[in-house]
Amino acid sequence: MRSADFGVNPGLPKLAREEVSLKLFYRMCLARYFDLGVVQASEQGRINIPVYLSLGQEAISAAMSMVIPEFQIFAQHRCHATYLTFGGDPAKLRDELLGLPTGCSGGRAGSNCLQSHEGSMTMFGHHGLIGENVPLGVGAAMGSNKPTVCFFGDGAAEEDYVFSAMAFAVTKQLPVLFVCEDNNLSILTPVKDRRSWDMTKVAAALGMPAVQFSDDPWMILHETERLSKQLPAFIDCFTCRANWHVGVGTDGPPEWDRFQLVKERLAKQGLTDQAEKIEREVQERMNKLWNA
Amino acid sequence: MERLTVADTIREITRNHLTEHNGLLMGQAVSAVGWVNNTVPDCPGIIELPMSDVAGAGIAVGSALVGRRTIFVIRFQDFLILNGSPLIFYAAKIKELHNRPAPIFVRAIAAEGIGPVHSGVLHSIFMHFPGFRVCAPMTPGEYRAIWKDYLEHDDPMIVSEHRISYGNTEEINDMYVPDPDITLYAISSTRFEVGKAARLLADDGIRCSIVHLYWLKPFVVDERLSHPLMRSRIGMVIDSGHEICGAAQAIAYALSEATGYRVAALGTEDKTKCLCEPHQNKAPDAQRIYLAVKQLMESDDLVL
Ligand SMILES: Cc1ncc(C[n+]2csc(CCOP(=O)(O)OP(=O)(O)O)c2C)c(N)n1
Ligand SMILES: [Mg+2]
């Protein structure tokens, strides 16, 4: 069932405006090259705290941030990409990972608990329990009446309180988008060894629109656009974690490489030059950031 | 004018908070079965939570995080073990971690003699974790004071209420005797028993000063607390919760450290609270306090 094109409408990139496709790619680059800097800084021993990389999973928040930039964000532990693509300051994230007082939580919280309350961005940091952000996000949506997005993993989806918070959002018709960044793994245990049920069917049974597809960013744009008008709603997005659960190592190639696939799609749209330019610029910027 | 009970006081504070200050109140079945002993007003801002104890507490904390100063009602303190997760892990930590407060007002209600999951007194657990303010008001005036304190701070507050106090209209004052033999510090429901115990002890020639405690954390040993102990040179802290690793022991230790005098602790026994007598393991009543003090005063190793 899991595959790079599961549930994806292949006609969407053609319909997208060029600048949208390129901005999307820019945001993916931002998350990717930031995390590649983390890998290097960790290998050099400059970062010596546990890090939860978004590498491989960048497309989800890169696309969503284009559609719902003003939503309150309640992210999961793997949240570098969420933070960066929605507009969090990369220098503050770097400093947080370096344990500096100039970090986004003063260097006290670390990689898995990022927050940003600057400009129009409202991202609440969690504290490390998987799925805890879901009831909190639901309560925040209720308390503030602001649209809210909750990101969580396929493992967190199994936490009893995630399920019951989603149910409450349906009961009270709260404006919450629930997004499962489904990399098929809880640490190293695949979904099939943990449960026989499907979160998308559970969400649908609760009475909210629920869809499941792979992390093609144009598909995410399209579905987020559609579902953000029908909240609460649930998206289960198949994606691939490229690195270890925690730390910068790798266990062989991921099932698919979304970054590469997106570049190929952009080439098909005749956007190779622009894409390469964007990639180069972001790479340089992140090099500077990490070697400042 | 009729005097307000503790229940009336809670209800009117809540009504004002909900109708005038954009507050929220959340809990399970709060608008049914007597509106939580008539402590919940019938007004807008009340949110019935489903019977999802962990998620429900998380939802309440989330609403506090966005500034609603939510009152979270827990009908029986034992449920705090489930509700506690978002409170302990998130509400209490988030200010230090992210410099963002989640000031939730937790009305945790204790009761007595109704079995293993409805008779618990759990404030001690919350004294243990950083980030909470913890109190156990038993009078209308104390309730108004702790509410004011809650509004003046942005910390989550655990309010260890006790059903036994809801009908109370009186303030309960400290009692000092000349040349006391012992100072008794009472917490929660034991405050309604300690006076009776002191009278029994007086009949046996043991003079007791009594100090009432409703602030459990932060706990400050000020003059009011230390002065009687300096005179009696022996003390006992009495609480409705379990004695082992509980508020009574912790506060006895703090008083002892501050004054250098021996302070004993008395709470419920290290046994499950079963439903029927004689296994209810109730909070220390006058008789038990009396016996415990007698035993302490008569013990051979008592060096003043
Ligand atoms: C409540 C809780 N239980 C267990 C853990 C330990 N833990 C940390 S991350 C993780 C895996 C979570 O998997 P998933 O939700 O799929 O997110 P992913 O890491 O795959 O992005 C686990 C089990 C935790 N942090 N919190
Ligand atoms: Mg996972």
mmCIF file of all heavy atoms in Angstrom, chain B residues 78-122:
data_model
loop_
_atom_site.group_PDB
_atom_site.id
_atom_site.type_symbol
_atom_site.label_atom_id
_atom_site.label_comp_id
_atom_site.label_asym_id
_atom_site.label_seq_id
_atom_site.Cartn_x
_atom_site.Cartn_y
_atom_site.Cartn_z
ATOM 1 N N ASP B 78 -8.630 10.953 43.065
ATOM 2 C CA ASP B 78 -7.951 9.771 42.533
ATOM 3 C C ASP B 78 -7.791 9.858 41.014
ATOM 4 O O ASP B 78 -6.827 9.332 40.469
ATOM 5 C CB ASP B 78 -8.722 8.498 42.894
ATOM 6 C CG ASP B 78 -8.508 8.113 44.341
ATOM 7 O OD1 ASP B 78 -7.391 7.680 44.674
ATOM 8 O OD2 ASP B 78 -9.439 8.262 45.145
ATOM 9 N N PHE B 79 -8.712 10.517 40.353
ATOM 10 C CA PHE B 79 -8.628 10.608 38.886
ATOM 11 C C PHE B 79 -7.404 11.407 38.451
ATOM 12 O O PHE B 79 -7.025 11.386 37.281
ATOM 13 C CB PHE B 79 -9.889 11.240 38.287
ATOM 14 C CG PHE B 79 -11.180 10.558 38.666
ATOM 15 C CD1 PHE B 79 -12.395 11.220 38.544
ATOM 16 C CD2 PHE B 79 -11.190 9.260 39.158
ATOM 17 C CE1 PHE B 79 -13.584 10.600 38.900
ATOM 18 C CE2 PHE B 79 -12.376 8.631 39.524
ATOM 19 C CZ PHE B 79 -13.579 9.314 39.395
ATOM 20 N N LEU B 80 -6.811 12.118 39.395
ATOM 21 C CA LEU B 80 -5.622 12.912 39.065
ATOM 22 C C LEU B 80 -4.489 12.053 38.509
ATOM 23 O O LEU B 80 -3.627 12.548 37.794
ATOM 24 C CB LEU B 80 -5.121 13.656 40.302
ATOM 25 C CG LEU B 80 -5.791 15.005 40.582
ATOM 26 C CD1 LEU B 80 -5.427 15.473 41.985
ATOM 27 C CD2 LEU B 80 -5.381 16.054 39.556
ATOM 28 N N ILE B 81 -4.498 10.779 38.857
ATOM 29 C CA ILE B 81 -3.437 9.922 38.318
ATOM 30 C C ILE B 81 -3.556 9.878 36.798
ATOM 31 O O ILE B 81 -2.562 9.896 36.080
ATOM 32 C CB ILE B 81 -3.519 8.502 38.928
ATOM 33 C CG1 ILE B 81 -3.257 8.571 40.437
ATOM 34 C CG2 ILE B 81 -2.555 7.535 38.255
ATOM 35 C CD1 ILE B 81 -1.854 8.988 40.834
ATOM 36 N N LEU B 82 -4.791 9.857 36.286
ATOM 37 C CA LEU B 82 -4.977 9.917 34.829
ATOM 38 C C LEU B 82 -4.897 11.354 34.334
ATOM 39 O O LEU B 82 -4.182 11.669 33.387
ATOM 40 C CB LEU B 82 -6.337 9.317 34.453
ATOM 41 C CG LEU B 82 -6.485 7.822 34.762
ATOM 42 C CD1 LEU B 82 -7.931 7.393 34.631
ATOM 43 C CD2 LEU B 82 -5.628 7.011 33.824
ATOM 44 N N ASN B 83 -5.632 12.245 34.975
ATOM 45 C CA ASN B 83 -5.644 13.653 34.539
ATOM 46 C C ASN B 83 -4.280 14.296 34.685
ATOM 47 O O ASN B 83 -3.993 15.310 34.045
ATOM 48 C CB ASN B 83 -6.620 14.485 35.399
ATOM 49 C CG ASN B 83 -8.041 13.964 35.381
ATOM 50 O OD1 ASN B 83 -8.774 14.129 36.351
ATOM 51 N ND2 ASN B 83 -8.426 13.341 34.293
ATOM 52 N N GLY B 84 -3.459 13.707 35.544
ATOM 53 C CA GLY B 84 -2.211 14.362 35.923
ATOM 54 C C GLY B 84 -1.217 14.519 34.798
ATOM 55 O O GLY B 84 -0.398 15.438 34.815
ATOM 56 N N SER B 85 -1.288 13.661 33.797
ATOM 57 C CA SER B 85 -0.245 13.683 32.778
ATOM 58 C C SER B 85 -0.094 15.048 32.099
ATOM 59 O O SER B 85 0.985 15.641 32.132
ATOM 60 C CB SER B 85 -0.487 12.541 31.790
ATOM 61 O OG SER B 85 0.245 12.733 30.627
ATOM 62 N N PRO B 86 -1.129 15.605 31.498
ATOM 63 C CA PRO B 86 -0.936 16.926 30.875
ATOM 64 C C PRO B 86 -0.668 18.031 31.902
ATOM 65 O O PRO B 86 -0.067 19.049 31.560
ATOM 66 C CB PRO B 86 -2.268 17.193 30.152
ATOM 67 C CG PRO B 86 -2.912 15.864 30.029
ATOM 68 C CD PRO B 86 -2.477 15.067 31.203
ATOM 69 N N LEU B 87 -1.119 17.816 33.137
ATOM 70 C CA LEU B 87 -0.877 18.837 34.164
ATOM 71 C C LEU B 87 0.590 18.836 34.573
ATOM 72 O O LEU B 87 1.263 19.869 34.566
ATOM 73 C CB LEU B 87 -1.758 18.581 35.393
ATOM 74 C CG LEU B 87 -3.268 18.535 35.156
ATOM 75 C CD1 LEU B 87 -3.991 18.116 36.434
ATOM 76 C CD2 LEU B 87 -3.774 19.899 34.698
ATOM 77 N N ILE B 88 1.070 17.648 34.911
ATOM 78 C CA ILE B 88 2.448 17.527 35.401
ATOM 79 C C ILE B 88 3.448 17.742 34.271
ATOM 80 O O ILE B 88 4.425 18.467 34.407
ATOM 81 C CB ILE B 88 2.664 16.138 36.041
ATOM 82 C CG1 ILE B 88 1.847 16.022 37.323
ATOM 83 C CG2 ILE B 88 4.144 15.889 36.300
ATOM 84 C CD1 ILE B 88 1.725 14.608 37.856
ATOM 85 N N PHE B 89 3.164 17.090 33.151
ATOM 86 C CA PHE B 89 4.153 17.108 32.076
ATOM 87 C C PHE B 89 4.105 18.393 31.256
ATOM 88 O O PHE B 89 5.106 18.796 30.701
ATOM 89 C CB PHE B 89 3.968 15.901 31.154
ATOM 90 C CG PHE B 89 4.330 14.604 31.801
ATOM 91 C CD1 PHE B 89 3.421 13.580 31.874
ATOM 92 C CD2 PHE B 89 5.582 14.433 32.350
ATOM 93 C CE1 PHE B 89 3.758 12.384 32.486
ATOM 94 C CE2 PHE B 89 5.928 13.238 32.963
ATOM 95 C CZ PHE B 89 5.013 12.210 33.031
ATOM 96 N N TYR B 90 2.944 18.980 31.163
ATOM 97 C CA TYR B 90 2.888 20.166 30.294
ATOM 98 C C TYR B 90 2.638 21.449 31.079
ATOM 99 O O TYR B 90 3.491 22.336 31.104
ATOM 100 C CB TYR B 90 1.839 19.992 29.192
ATOM 101 C CG TYR B 90 2.111 20.936 28.048
ATOM 102 C CD1 TYR B 90 3.055 20.625 27.076
ATOM 103 C CD2 TYR B 90 1.469 22.160 27.970
ATOM 104 C CE1 TYR B 90 3.343 21.499 26.053
ATOM 105 C CE2 TYR B 90 1.752 23.044 26.940
ATOM 106 C CZ TYR B 90 2.683 22.705 25.982
ATOM 107 O OH TYR B 90 2.978 23.577 24.980
ATOM 108 N N ALA B 91 1.490 21.531 31.728
ATOM 109 C CA ALA B 91 1.124 22.799 32.387
ATOM 110 C C ALA B 91 2.228 23.257 33.349
ATOM 111 O O ALA B 91 2.593 24.424 33.385
ATOM 112 C CB ALA B 91 -0.202 22.652 33.110
ATOM 113 N N ALA B 92 2.765 22.306 34.106
ATOM 114 C CA ALA B 92 3.720 22.692 35.138
ATOM 115 C C ALA B 92 5.106 22.997 34.584
ATOM 116 O O ALA B 92 5.885 23.702 35.203
ATOM 117 C CB ALA B 92 3.825 21.587 36.191
ATOM 118 N N LYS B 93 5.418 22.465 33.406
ATOM 119 C CA LYS B 93 6.783 22.612 32.907
ATOM 120 C C LYS B 93 6.948 23.736 31.898
ATOM 121 O O LYS B 93 8.061 24.200 31.658
ATOM 122 C CB LYS B 93 7.213 21.319 32.210
ATOM 123 C CG LYS B 93 7.408 20.149 33.141
ATOM 124 C CD LYS B 93 8.019 18.981 32.368
ATOM 125 C CE LYS B 93 8.044 17.721 33.213
ATOM 126 N NZ LYS B 93 8.671 16.606 32.510
ATOM 127 N N ILE B 94 5.843 24.128 31.279
ATOM 128 C CA ILE B 94 5.959 24.878 30.048
ATOM 129 C C ILE B 94 6.489 26.295 30.268
ATOM 130 O O ILE B 94 7.119 26.878 29.396
ATOM 131 C CB ILE B 94 4.603 24.847 29.291
ATOM 132 C CG1 ILE B 94 4.855 24.817 27.820
ATOM 133 C CG2 ILE B 94 3.663 25.933 29.709
ATOM 134 C CD1 ILE B 94 5.596 23.609 27.361
ATOM 135 N N LYS B 95 6.270 26.830 31.457
ATOM 136 C CA LYS B 95 6.773 28.176 31.717
ATOM 137 C C LYS B 95 8.304 28.158 31.786
ATOM 138 O O LYS B 95 8.966 28.999 31.188
ATOM 139 C CB LYS B 95 6.176 28.724 33.011
ATOM 140 C CG LYS B 95 6.365 30.216 33.158
ATOM 141 C CD LYS B 95 5.492 30.787 34.259
ATOM 142 C CE LYS B 95 6.312 31.133 35.465
ATOM 143 N NZ LYS B 95 5.515 31.736 36.545
ATOM 144 N N GLU B 96 8.835 27.185 32.465
ATOM 145 C CA GLU B 96 10.298 27.131 32.562
ATOM 146 C C GLU B 96 10.943 26.702 31.254
ATOM 147 O O GLU B 96 12.034 27.146 30.908
ATOM 148 C CB GLU B 96 10.713 26.165 33.676
ATOM 149 C CG GLU B 96 10.624 26.798 35.047
ATOM 150 C CD GLU B 96 11.288 25.940 36.104
ATOM 151 O OE1 GLU B 96 12.528 25.933 36.166
ATOM 152 O OE2 GLU B 96 10.557 25.268 36.859
ATOM 153 N N LEU B 97 10.236 25.829 30.543
ATOM 154 C CA LEU B 97 10.808 25.305 29.305
ATOM 155 C C LEU B 97 10.730 26.321 28.173
ATOM 156 O O LEU B 97 11.711 26.588 27.483
ATOM 157 C CB LEU B 97 10.047 24.031 28.912
ATOM 158 C CG LEU B 97 10.685 23.103 27.897
ATOM 159 C CD1 LEU B 97 12.016 22.571 28.400
ATOM 160 C CD2 LEU B 97 9.742 21.928 27.613
ATOM 161 N N HIS B 98 9.553 26.876 27.971
ATOM 162 C CA HIS B 98 9.339 27.746 26.812
ATOM 163 C C HIS B 98 8.982 29.189 27.184
ATOM 164 O O HIS B 98 8.602 29.973 26.310
ATOM 165 C CB HIS B 98 8.208 27.196 25.955
ATOM 166 C CG HIS B 98 8.526 25.889 25.281
ATOM 167 N ND1 HIS B 98 9.665 25.690 24.545
ATOM 168 C CD2 HIS B 98 7.847 24.711 25.232
ATOM 169 C CE1 HIS B 98 9.661 24.447 24.065
ATOM 170 N NE2 HIS B 98 8.587 23.835 24.475
ATOM 171 N N ASN B 99 8.994 29.489 28.451
ATOM 172 C CA ASN B 99 8.623 30.826 28.898
ATOM 173 C C ASN B 99 7.198 31.199 28.475
ATOM 174 O O ASN B 99 6.922 32.347 28.125
ATOM 175 C CB ASN B 99 9.626 31.857 28.376
ATOM 176 C CG ASN B 99 9.571 33.146 29.176
ATOM 177 O OD1 ASN B 99 9.110 33.133 30.311
ATOM 178 N ND2 ASN B 99 9.996 34.247 28.584
ATOM 179 N N ARG B 100 6.331 30.216 28.441
ATOM 180 C CA ARG B 100 4.915 30.473 28.130
ATOM 181 C C ARG B 100 4.076 29.799 29.209
ATOM 182 O O ARG B 100 4.205 28.590 29.421
ATOM 183 C CB ARG B 100 4.517 29.901 26.771
ATOM 184 C CG ARG B 100 5.253 30.522 25.627
ATOM 185 C CD ARG B 100 4.525 30.298 24.341
ATOM 186 N NE ARG B 100 3.369 31.165 24.221
ATOM 187 C CZ ARG B 100 3.425 32.434 23.854
ATOM 188 N NH1 ARG B 100 4.569 33.011 23.611
ATOM 189 N NH2 ARG B 100 2.328 33.144 23.741
ATOM 190 N N PRO B 101 3.242 30.534 29.892
ATOM 191 C CA PRO B 101 2.505 29.929 30.995
ATOM 192 C C PRO B 101 1.228 29.209 30.548
ATOM 193 O O PRO B 101 0.664 29.516 29.503
ATOM 194 C CB PRO B 101 2.140 31.138 31.848
ATOM 195 C CG PRO B 101 2.032 32.261 30.871
ATOM 196 C CD PRO B 101 2.993 31.970 29.750
ATOM 197 N N ALA B 102 0.792 28.271 31.339
ATOM 198 C CA ALA B 102 -0.505 27.609 31.117
ATOM 199 C C ALA B 102 -1.228 27.591 32.469
ATOM 200 O O ALA B 102 -1.335 26.554 33.117
ATOM 201 C CB ALA B 102 -0.317 26.200 30.575
ATOM 202 N N PRO B 103 -1.691 28.767 32.907
ATOM 203 C CA PRO B 103 -2.258 28.855 34.264
ATOM 204 C C PRO B 103 -3.646 28.222 34.355
ATOM 205 O O PRO B 103 -4.652 28.880 34.164
ATOM 206 C CB PRO B 103 -2.319 30.369 34.525
ATOM 207 C CG PRO B 103 -2.379 30.996 33.170
ATOM 208 C CD PRO B 103 -1.725 30.058 32.212
ATOM 209 N N ILE B 104 -3.669 26.978 34.692
ATOM 210 C CA ILE B 104 -4.934 26.254 34.849
ATOM 211 C C ILE B 104 -5.232 26.146 36.336
ATOM 212 O O ILE B 104 -4.313 26.005 37.156
ATOM 213 C CB ILE B 104 -4.843 24.872 34.162
ATOM 214 C CG1 ILE B 104 -6.190 24.159 34.197
ATOM 215 C CG2 ILE B 104 -3.754 23.994 34.764
ATOM 216 C CD1 ILE B 104 -6.244 22.963 33.256
ATOM 217 N N PHE B 105 -6.500 26.259 36.689
ATOM 218 C CA PHE B 105 -6.937 26.205 38.086
ATOM 219 C C PHE B 105 -7.625 24.856 38.280
ATOM 220 O O PHE B 105 -8.714 24.627 37.769
ATOM 221 C CB PHE B 105 -7.909 27.363 38.337
ATOM 222 C CG PHE B 105 -8.360 27.533 39.763
ATOM 223 C CD1 PHE B 105 -7.617 28.293 40.659
ATOM 224 C CD2 PHE B 105 -9.553 26.981 40.192
ATOM 225 C CE1 PHE B 105 -8.055 28.479 41.977
ATOM 226 C CE2 PHE B 105 -10.003 27.163 41.508
ATOM 227 C CZ PHE B 105 -9.249 27.923 42.396
ATOM 228 N N VAL B 106 -6.932 23.963 38.974
ATOM 229 C CA VAL B 106 -7.430 22.588 39.074
ATOM 230 C C VAL B 106 -8.184 22.402 40.387
ATOM 231 O O VAL B 106 -7.593 22.450 41.464
ATOM 232 C CB VAL B 106 -6.264 21.578 38.990
ATOM 233 C CG1 VAL B 106 -6.793 20.154 39.056
ATOM 234 C CG2 VAL B 106 -5.471 21.793 37.712
ATOM 235 N N ARG B 107 -9.476 22.225 40.270
ATOM 236 C CA ARG B 107 -10.297 21.970 41.459
ATOM 237 C C ARG B 107 -10.350 20.470 41.679
ATOM 238 O O ARG B 107 -11.154 19.768 41.079
ATOM 239 C CB ARG B 107 -11.714 22.504 41.243
ATOM 240 C CG ARG B 107 -11.848 24.009 41.360
ATOM 241 C CD ARG B 107 -13.322 24.396 41.376
ATOM 242 N NE ARG B 107 -14.015 23.613 42.370
ATOM 243 C CZ ARG B 107 -15.313 23.312 42.323
ATOM 244 N NH1 ARG B 107 -16.074 23.741 41.354
ATOM 245 N NH2 ARG B 107 -15.856 22.598 43.284
ATOM 246 N N ALA B 108 -9.473 19.976 42.524
ATOM 247 C CA ALA B 108 -9.387 18.540 42.774
ATOM 248 C C ALA B 108 -10.118 18.249 44.079
ATOM 249 O O ALA B 108 -9.712 18.716 45.144
ATOM 250 C CB ALA B 108 -7.930 18.124 42.866
ATOM 251 N N ILE B 109 -11.184 17.485 43.988
ATOM 252 C CA ILE B 109 -12.083 17.349 45.137
ATOM 253 C C ILE B 109 -11.841 16.018 45.862
ATOM 254 O O ILE B 109 -11.842 14.949 45.246
ATOM 255 C CB ILE B 109 -13.552 17.439 44.668
ATOM 256 C CG1 ILE B 109 -13.767 18.763 43.920
ATOM 257 C CG2 ILE B 109 -14.499 17.307 45.857
ATOM 258 C CD1 ILE B 109 -15.070 18.847 43.163
ATOM 259 N N ALA B 110 -11.642 16.133 47.158
ATOM 260 C CA ALA B 110 -11.451 14.933 47.974
ATOM 261 C C ALA B 110 -12.756 14.603 48.701
ATOM 262 O O ALA B 110 -13.590 15.480 48.945
ATOM 263 C CB ALA B 110 -10.337 15.166 48.988
ATOM 264 N N ALA B 111 -12.904 13.332 49.019
ATOM 265 C CA ALA B 111 -14.066 12.902 49.798
ATOM 266 C C ALA B 111 -13.589 11.822 50.757
ATOM 267 O O ALA B 111 -12.407 11.488 50.781
ATOM 268 C CB ALA B 111 -15.143 12.364 48.870
ATOM 269 N N GLU B 112 -14.499 11.297 51.526
ATOM 270 C CA GLU B 112 -14.086 10.366 52.583
ATOM 271 C C GLU B 112 -14.996 9.153 52.628
ATOM 272 O O GLU B 112 -16.218 9.290 52.488
ATOM 273 C CB GLU B 112 -14.153 11.117 53.927
ATOM 274 C CG GLU B 112 -13.636 10.361 55.110
ATOM 275 C CD GLU B 112 -12.117 10.224 55.111
ATOM 276 O OE1 GLU B 112 -11.577 9.452 54.302
ATOM 277 O OE2 GLU B 112 -11.477 10.895 55.933
ATOM 278 N N GLY B 113 -14.388 7.975 52.752
ATOM 279 C CA GLY B 113 -15.165 6.776 53.060
ATOM 280 C C GLY B 113 -15.972 6.218 51.908
ATOM 281 O O GLY B 113 -16.932 5.487 52.125
ATOM 282 N N ILE B 114 -15.596 6.559 50.673
ATOM 283 C CA ILE B 114 -16.364 5.987 49.562
ATOM 284 C C ILE B 114 -15.478 5.142 48.639
ATOM 285 O O ILE B 114 -15.634 5.148 47.425
ATOM 286 C CB ILE B 114 -17.171 7.056 48.780
ATOM 287 C CG1 ILE B 114 -16.379 8.342 48.604
ATOM 288 C CG2 ILE B 114 -18.489 7.338 49.469
ATOM 289 C CD1 ILE B 114 -17.147 9.431 47.869
ATOM 290 N N GLY B 115 -14.563 4.440 49.271
ATOM 291 C CA GLY B 115 -13.874 3.376 48.554
ATOM 292 C C GLY B 115 -12.588 3.778 47.872
ATOM 293 O O GLY B 115 -12.132 4.918 47.957
ATOM 294 N N PRO B 116 -12.010 2.800 47.182
ATOM 295 C CA PRO B 116 -10.621 2.927 46.723
ATOM 296 C C PRO B 116 -10.388 3.989 45.649
ATOM 297 O O PRO B 116 -9.275 4.465 45.501
ATOM 298 C CB PRO B 116 -10.304 1.541 46.172
ATOM 299 C CG PRO B 116 -11.625 0.916 45.897
ATOM 300 C CD PRO B 116 -12.574 1.473 46.895
ATOM 301 N N VAL B 117 -11.401 4.371 44.899
ATOM 302 C CA VAL B 117 -11.141 5.322 43.817
ATOM 303 C C VAL B 117 -11.908 6.633 43.992
ATOM 304 O O VAL B 117 -11.940 7.473 43.105
ATOM 305 C CB VAL B 117 -11.416 4.655 42.442
ATOM 306 C CG1 VAL B 117 -12.900 4.647 42.100
ATOM 307 C CG2 VAL B 117 -10.622 5.332 41.331
ATOM 308 N N HIS B 118 -12.509 6.824 45.168
ATOM 309 C CA HIS B 118 -13.244 8.075 45.395
ATOM 310 C C HIS B 118 -12.878 8.747 46.711
ATOM 311 O O HIS B 118 -13.512 9.713 47.104
ATOM 312 C CB HIS B 118 -14.762 7.809 45.371
ATOM 313 C CG HIS B 118 -15.241 7.313 44.042
ATOM 314 N ND1 HIS B 118 -15.509 5.985 43.803
ATOM 315 C CD2 HIS B 118 -15.471 7.949 42.880
ATOM 316 C CE1 HIS B 118 -15.903 5.825 42.551
ATOM 317 N NE2 HIS B 118 -15.876 6.998 41.963
ATOM 318 N N SER B 119 -11.873 8.206 47.388
ATOM 319 C CA SER B 119 -11.548 8.752 48.708
ATOM 320 C C SER B 119 -10.120 9.277 48.788
ATOM 321 O O SER B 119 -9.645 9.619 49.865
ATOM 322 C CB SER B 119 -11.725 7.664 49.783
ATOM 323 O OG SER B 119 -12.955 6.995 49.617
ATOM 324 N N GLY B 120 -9.455 9.345 47.680
ATOM 325 C CA GLY B 120 -8.043 9.717 47.697
ATOM 326 C C GLY B 120 -7.805 11.202 47.959
ATOM 327 O O GLY B 120 -8.636 12.044 47.626
ATOM 328 N N VAL B 121 -6.670 11.473 48.579
ATOM 329 C CA VAL B 121 -6.202 12.851 48.783
ATOM 330 C C VAL B 121 -4.791 12.890 48.203
ATOM 331 O O VAL B 121 -3.877 12.287 48.744
ATOM 332 C CB VAL B 121 -6.186 13.223 50.280
ATOM 333 C CG1 VAL B 121 -5.611 14.611 50.479
ATOM 334 C CG2 VAL B 121 -7.601 13.141 50.854
ATOM 335 N N LEU B 122 -4.621 13.579 47.084
ATOM 336 C CA LEU B 122 -3.371 13.412 46.330
ATOM 337 C C LEU B 122 -2.518 14.685 46.206
ATOM 338 O O LEU B 122 -1.613 14.745 45.383
ATOM 339 C CB LEU B 122 -3.686 12.877 44.913
ATOM 340 C CG LEU B 122 -3.837 11.359 44.780
ATOM 341 C CD1 LEU B 122 -5.102 10.871 45.455
ATOM 342 C CD2 LEU B 122 -3.827 10.934 43.338
#
